[in-house]
Amino acid sequence: SDDSARARLVLLVPSQQPELVSDLVEDIRRAAHDELPQARVYVGGEYPLVLLGQRHLLHAMGLGFLGTLGGVALAFLAFLRSPGQMALMLIPNVLPVAVVVGALAWLGVRADSAAVMTASIVLGLAVDDTFHTLGYHRHFRQRLPRDEAIVERLALAAPANILTSIILALGFLACAGSALVPVSRFGIMMIAAVGFALLGDLVVVPALLPLGRRR
């Protein structure tokens, strides 16, 4: 400004992934404070606004996932009428979410909106099949021993679970082939999560059903 009280420095930076931009913004802020320790420094522009919007989006989606998980837990509790069985049935439904998010962390990929959105969607898809599984199991358990009821339930429900999982995976395959990285990543994560959700219904749920009846 004319009175030398204000200065504006414009930096041109290449388009990068959000995590790299976040580190760059922090580096710029530290450098400005080091060079001008007595000045009040503000970092503005499109990138900081995009990062701030993404943080708010992730926070809102995270709260939404927790709310969905709480609603699912209450639905299981009302259906099973046992806190112990409710906790057991949450395991196969949270498993695909934990595997996908854990794989992202293992690969060094930061959680973004696609990851959080995948968590909520997969939870809803997995719960749907689990409720069908428990309904069939309750029907057979009334007239068959425990192990035979599990076998009959698998014989009836497994083909439908496999078919719906294949259809879902093929649908998300269209997203996996997208040139837009977030959309492509979302499609790949959904395909992997659907596969693990199917594994949970075919393997984990039958393994956990007998445990809910033991002291």
Side-chain angles (χ1 to χ4, degrees), residues 117-200:
M117 185 166 54
T118 301
S120 297
I121 295 176
V122 169
L123 183 62
L125 295 177
V127 165
D128 183 51
D129 286 340
T130 303
F131 268 115
H132 285 294
T133 297
L134 294 176
Y136 284 127
H137 180 71
R138 174 179 289 184
H139 172 72
F140 289 118
R141 189 68 181 91
Q142 293 175 351
R143 55 186 179 86
L144 293 174
R146 183 191 63 202
D147 294 341
E148 293 183 18
I150 293 176
V151 172
E152 290 295 327
R153 193 277 304 169
L154 279 172
L156 185 61
N161 290 346
I162 294 173
L163 181 60
T164 55
S165 297
I166 292 175
I167 293 173
L168 287 171
L170 291 176
F172 288 113
L173 186 62
C175 296
S178 173
L180 192 61
V181 174
V183 177
S184 174
R185 185 182 297 173
F186 169 73
I188 294 172
M189 288 189 296
M190 284 299 306
I191 293 173
V194 166
F196 281 106
L198 176 63
L199 187 66

Side-chain angles (χ1 to χ4, degrees), residues 198-215:
L198 176 63
L199 187 66
D201 283 319
L202 297 183
V203 179
V204 181
V205 172
L208 293 177
L209 282 174
L211 299 180
R213 296 299 180 185
R214 295 177 182 174
R215 295 292 182 183

